[in-house]
């Protein structure tokens, strides 16, 4: 080897080696400084990283408040249940154990396999809200990696009877429908939290500290009376089944306080078991469905005519020959009546008589009384989904529309709106606000008509619900009742269906000193009868009799059996 080769004799400059040494020294000093900073002056960073591996802040659920009726009877309460969860990578189970677990959890085996195969996840729910019996059976399987945690499930003792009032909660106890949704904030409260130390399997090994205490949900006392609610639901159900109807609704109001004592719909559902729940069952028809109310609107037209001094209760209107022409249209009665007093127009439910009165009034005045009575205005109730109905502006009315609106066609309203509007005649002229919450006592109403007019219409409504009226089956032994039938063709695709009807009845009792308003609607009865006096009035009678006795209201009529007319002698209202 030639050591004299100049390539082999190449040497690095001295400054370069010294610079490299200096850089290594500076790097070591930076590391030492960083270590001193993190471990001495600012150790929060390392502390946080360490705690993240074993310290957890877990949520403490707040107990959801109970819902009770006006007497303190539980309508909705939260009961403790267990939810099953797993750390997929930690699950050690034989195939037979997995099959048994799927059977206990009542879930398909392939669905369970899919959840347990998610090894990249540290936490997965297998089944929420198991019954205590199911949870115990899961425990007995003794499968490593399968854990349970305590949760709460909402329970509704009344089942389908109060379903449309209460609504229900989801799997996380959050309100989804009804009162549960409307009062979610106060019922739910606010969850708390605490800091704990967990091992890698998720087991709590030490409770470190409380971060925030939970704020429990507040209990809620409704205006509902459970006994009246059950009576209303059972009588409505009997009617819907007897008349083979598509649906039905009923609402009971306390006239003095505006409280909803009962509200029921059919079809209904069981909030404790919603696996087969459909949209038809879920609909709260009393508040969300509007329909043309038919003859139940006539008292408001008559009240306006009395208030404007157009007529008196004994003024005579010629309704012969049972037909009345307005432009190219003809208004007709079910039966020709000849001359009728204004009171008899209501008693016999004459379209012709009502139409002739409407033609004497200004259309804006008619719109005003409808508006003051709450039609076309969304009800101010603590309930989601309540609708406004529809009353078109008066300036758009043609003469024939003014006439048809006077007896309930061409406008729409919900059953709750109708019930509330009838408080005008029961409260001597003012309309009461409506509430689902237990009230402290009588409330002030908003004046609509004079007290003299209200009492005069009340007398007419008592005639309509008695012998010679359209609703003798609304009578109640021991009590005087007042009310009005309504029977209207249903609208389908912009036209009236020839053989599809809604039969309704709205009334109050006792007529001498009114205490409750009851509104009933039967949708598409198909068993031969469809007039409101035949399908809805008997429901009113049964519910009013039971409700007044439950409320301790003294009778104001003789306690003797009601004599009902034969089928051929019953006055049929005009449709």
């Amino acid at each position: 080897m030639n050591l004299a080769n100049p390539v082999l004799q190449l040497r690095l400059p001295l400054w370069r080696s010294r610079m490299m040494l200096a850089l290594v020294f500076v790097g070591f000093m930076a590391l030492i400084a960083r270590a001193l900073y993190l471990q001495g002056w600012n150790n929060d960073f390392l502390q946080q990283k360490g705690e993240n591996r074993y310290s957890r802040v877990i949520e403490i659920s707040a107990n959801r408040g109970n819902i009770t009726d006006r007497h303190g009877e539980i309508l909705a309460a939260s009961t403790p249940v267990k939810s099953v969860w797993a750390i997929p990578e930690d699950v050690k189970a034989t195939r037979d154990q997995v099959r048994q677990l799927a059977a206990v959890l009542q879930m398909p085996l392939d669905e369970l396999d899919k959840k347990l195969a998610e090894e990249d996840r540290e936490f997965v729910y297998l089944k929420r809200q198991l019954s205590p019996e199911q949870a115990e059976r899961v425990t007995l399987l003794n499968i490593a990696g399968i854990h349970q945690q305590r949760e709460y499930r909402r329970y509704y003792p009344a089942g389908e009877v109060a379903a449309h009032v209460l609504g229900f909660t989801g799997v996380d106890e959050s309100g989804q429908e009804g009162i549960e949704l409307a009062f979610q904030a106060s019922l739910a409260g606010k969850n708390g939290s605490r800091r704990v130390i967990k091992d890698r399997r998720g087991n709590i090994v030490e409770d470190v500290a409380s971060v925030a205490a939970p704020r429990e949900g507040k209990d809620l006392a409704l205006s509902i009376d459970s006994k009246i609610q059950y009576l209303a639901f059972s009588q409505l159900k009997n009617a819907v089944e007897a008349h083979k109807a598509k649906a039905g609704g009923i609402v009971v109001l306390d006239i003095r306080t505006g409280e909803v004592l009962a509200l029921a719909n059919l079809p209904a559902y069981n909030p404790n078991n919603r696996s087969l729940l459909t949209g038809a069952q879920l609909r709260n028809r009393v508040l969300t469905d509007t329909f043309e109310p038919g003859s139940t609107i006539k008292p408001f037209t008559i009240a306006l005519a009395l208030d404007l001094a157009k007529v008196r209760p004994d003024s005579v209107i010629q309704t012969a020959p049972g037909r009345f022409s307005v432009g190219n249209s003809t208004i007709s009665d079910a039966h020709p009546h000849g001359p009728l007093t204004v009171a008899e127009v209501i008693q016999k439910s004459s379209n012709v008589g009502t139409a002739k009165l409407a033609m004497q009034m200004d259309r804006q005045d008619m719109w005003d009384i409808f508006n003051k009575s709450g039609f076309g205005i969304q009800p101010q109730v603590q309930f989601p989904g309540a609708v406004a109905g529809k009353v078109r502006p008066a300036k758009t009315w043609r003469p024939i529309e003014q006439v048809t609106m006077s007896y309930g066609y061409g406008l729409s309203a919900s059953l709750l709106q109708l019930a509330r509007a009838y408080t005008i005649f029961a409260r001597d002229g003012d309309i009461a606000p409506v509430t689902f919450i237990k009230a402290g006592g009588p409330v002030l109403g908003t004046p609509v008509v004079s007290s003299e007019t209200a009492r005069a219409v009340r007398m007419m409504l008592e005639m309509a619900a008695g012998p010679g009226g359209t609703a003798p089956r609304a009578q109640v032994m021991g009590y005087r009742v007042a009310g009005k039938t309504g029977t209207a063709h249903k609208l389908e695709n912009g036209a009236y269906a020839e053989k599809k009807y809604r039969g309704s009845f709205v009334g109050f009792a006792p007529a001498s000193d009114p205490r409750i308003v009851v509104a009933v609607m039967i949708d598409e009865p198909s068993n031969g009868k469809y007039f409101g006096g035949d399908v809805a009035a008997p429901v009113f009678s049964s519910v009013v009799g039971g409700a007044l006795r439950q409320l301790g209201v003294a009778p104001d009529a003789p306690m003797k059996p009601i004599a009902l007319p034969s089928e051929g002698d019953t006055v049929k209202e005009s449709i």
Side-chain angles (χ1 to χ4, degrees):
M1 179 179 298
N2 184 5
L3 296 178
N5 190 320
V7 175
L8 297 177
Q9 295 179 354
L10 180 64
R11 303 173 100 183
L12 292 173
L14 182 62
W15 66 268
R16 183 179 296 184
S17 59
R18 289 178 177 176
M19 185 182 69
M20 291 300 298
L21 180 62
L23 289 175
V24 170
F25 179 77
V26 170
F28 272 113
M29 293 303 295
L31 290 174
I32 291 171
R34 179 62 175 168
L36 289 173
Y37 174 75
L38 291 176
Q39 298 181 46
W41 289 280
N42 184 14
N43 61 2
D44 292 344
F45 175 79
L46 294 180
Q47 187 73 24
Q48 181 183 3
K49 291 297 183 181
E51 288 182 356
N52 286 346
R53 286 163 172 76
Y54 63 83
S55 179
R56 297 286 189 274
V57 175
I58 64 173
E59 190 173 71
I60 306 174
S61 298
N63 290 327
R64 192 174 180 86
N66 294 332
I67 301 176
T68 68
D69 81 340
R70 65 185 304 104
H71 302 298
E73 184 172 333
I74 296 292
L75 296 176
S78 296
T79 58
V81 292
K82 292 290 186 67
S83 289
V84 177
W85 61 278
I87 302 174
E89 66 175 355
D90 290 347
V91 174
K92 302 294 186 289
T94 65
R95 192 59 187 164
D96 185 55
Q97 284 180 312
V98 174
R99 289 194 186 95
Q100 293 180 56
L101 180 60
V104 172
L105 298 180
Q106 298 178 352
M107 61 188 299
L109 181 59
D110 58 348
E111 182 181 343
L112 179 58
D113 285 337
K114 183 178 179 181
K115 289 188 175 184
L116 295 178
E118 299 178 7
E119 295 187 358
D120 57 330
R121 295 180 61 182
E122 293 184 359
F123 180 96
V124 60
Y125 275 117
L126 301 182
K127 192 68 176 287
R128 303 287 297 273
Q129 298 187 345
L130 272 68
S131 67
E133 295 77 13
Q134 285 179 295
E136 179 63 24
R137 290 169 62 190
V138 171
T139 302
L140 292 175
L141 291 176
N142 196 26
I143 302 175
I146 301 296
H147 307 276
Q148 297 183 29
Q149 71 181 39
R150 185 175 181 178
E151 292 184 327
Y152 290 90
R153 181 181 180 182
R154 208 65 165 161
Y155 176 63
Y156 303 92
E160 64 178 359
V161 172
H164 287 102
V165 175
L166 301 173
F168 53 84
T169 62
V171 70
D172 58 353
E173 279 221 309
S174 177
Q176 303 295 306
E177 291 286 340
I179 291 294
E180 293 277 29
L181 174 59
F183 291 87
Q184 165 66 15
S186 62
L187 286 169
K190 187 176 182 180
N191 292 339
S193 59
R194 62 188 175 117
R195 186 178 296 279
V196 299
I197 294 176
K198 287 186 175 185
D199 63 17
R200 68 179 297 274
R201 296 177 179 274
N203 300 313
I204 296 175
V205 296
E206 185 180 348
D207 197 335
V208 178
S210 174
V211 178
R215 189 183 74 231
E216 307 295 357
K218 296 180 181 179
D219 292 346
L220 183 65
L222 299 184
S223 59
I224 298 295
D225 186 305
S226 291
K227 291 184 173 62
I228 298 176
Q229 177 70 27
Y230 177 79
L231 175 65
F233 178 84
S234 60
Q235 293 302 314
L236 179 67
K237 185 176 183 179
N238 291 341
V240 169
E241 291 175 351
H243 297 290
K244 297 181 179 179
K246 178 181 178 181
I250 184 170
V251 60
V252 182
L253 302 183
D254 187 310
I255 290 168
R256 300 175 184 176
T257 64
E259 295 170 302
V260 179
L261 299 178
L263 181 153
N265 295 274
L266 282 170
Y269 64 94
N270 184 351
N272 298 308
N273 182 7
R274 304 189 299 275
S275 58
L276 300 177
L277 182 61
T278 65
Q281 293 173 302
L282 191 60
R283 279 166 56 188
N284 190 336
R285 298 167 190 272
V286 171
L287 285 92
T288 65
D289 283 19
T290 61
F291 57 96
E292 292 183 313
S295 296
T296 56
I297 286 295
K298 289 175 181 175
F300 300 94
T301 304
I302 300 299
L304 177 62
L306 293 173
D307 234 29
L308 295 176
K310 299 289 185 179
V311 291
R312 299 186 307 273
D314 59 354
S315 299
V316 177
I317 299 174
Q318 180 57 261
T319 66
R323 296 184 303 278
F324 178 59
S325 295
V326 179
N328 296 325
S329 302
T330 300
I331 308 303
S332 61
D333 284 337
H335 306 286
H337 296 295
L340 295 175
T341 64
V342 172
E344 289 173 332
V345 167
I346 290 292
Q347 181 188 27
K348 308 297 183 183
S349 195
S350 169
N351 285 351
V352 173
T354 308
K356 287 189 173 181
L357 284 175
M359 293 299 291
Q360 298 180 36
M361 295 180 288
D362 184 78
R363 58 187 179 181
Q364 186 61 49
D365 290 335
M366 287 183 61
W367 185 92
D368 287 343
I369 194 169
F370 291 155
N371 181 262
K372 291 178 181 177
S373 301
F375 300 119
I377 301 174
Q378 186 174 20
Q380 298 301 303
V381 292
Q382 314 94 329
F383 211 95
V387 296
K390 186 176 182 180
V391 180
R392 290 187 296 103
K395 62 183 180 181
T396 67
W397 296 5
R398 294 176 294 137
I400 185 58
E401 291 173 324
Q402 180 174 345
V403 166
T404 57
M405 285 186 186
S406 73
Y407 57 83
Y409 282 90
L411 70 163
S412 65
S414 69
L415 198 62
L416 179 71
Q417 287 178 306
L418 281 171
R420 178 176 179 249
Y422 268 65
T423 64
I424 294 169
F425 310 122
R427 288 172 54 100
D428 288 347
D430 68 337
I431 187 168
V434 175
T435 179
F436 281 87
I437 306 304
K438 184 179 179 180
V443 294
L444 294 175
T446 304
V448 178
V449 298
S450 68
S451 57
E452 293 79 9
T453 293
R455 286 193 288 269
V457 174
R458 188 189 308 166
M459 176 271 296
M460 299 176 194
L461 293 173
E462 189 173 0
M463 292 171 57
T470 57
R473 288 173 175 77
Q475 297 176 86
V476 179
M477 186 172 68
Y479 296 99
R480 293 164 51 194
V481 302
K484 184 72 188 73
T485 54
T487 308
H489 288 280
K490 291 185 66 174
L491 269 173
E492 285 192 351
N493 301 319
Y496 290 105
E498 185 177 351
K499 295 183 179 181
K500 291 184 179 181
Y501 304 89
R502 281 191 181 92
S504 58
F505 185 87
V506 189
F508 47 86
S512 59
D513 184 16
R515 178 63 189 277
I516 58 173
V517 169
V518 178
V520 184
M521 182 275 294
I522 306 296
D523 185 12
E524 284 190 36
S526 59
N527 201 22
K529 295 180 179 180
Y530 54 85
F531 283 102
D534 292 326
V535 300
V539 180
F540 169 91
S541 175
S542 299
V543 172
V544 165
L548 291 179
R549 288 189 289 272
Q550 169 67 18
L551 295 171
V553 178
D556 66 341
M559 294 294 293
K560 62 181 182 180
I562 302 295
L564 295 176
S566 63
E567 187 67 29
D569 294 334
T570 301
V571 177
K572 300 299 183 185
E573 66 186 280
S574 303
I575 301 176

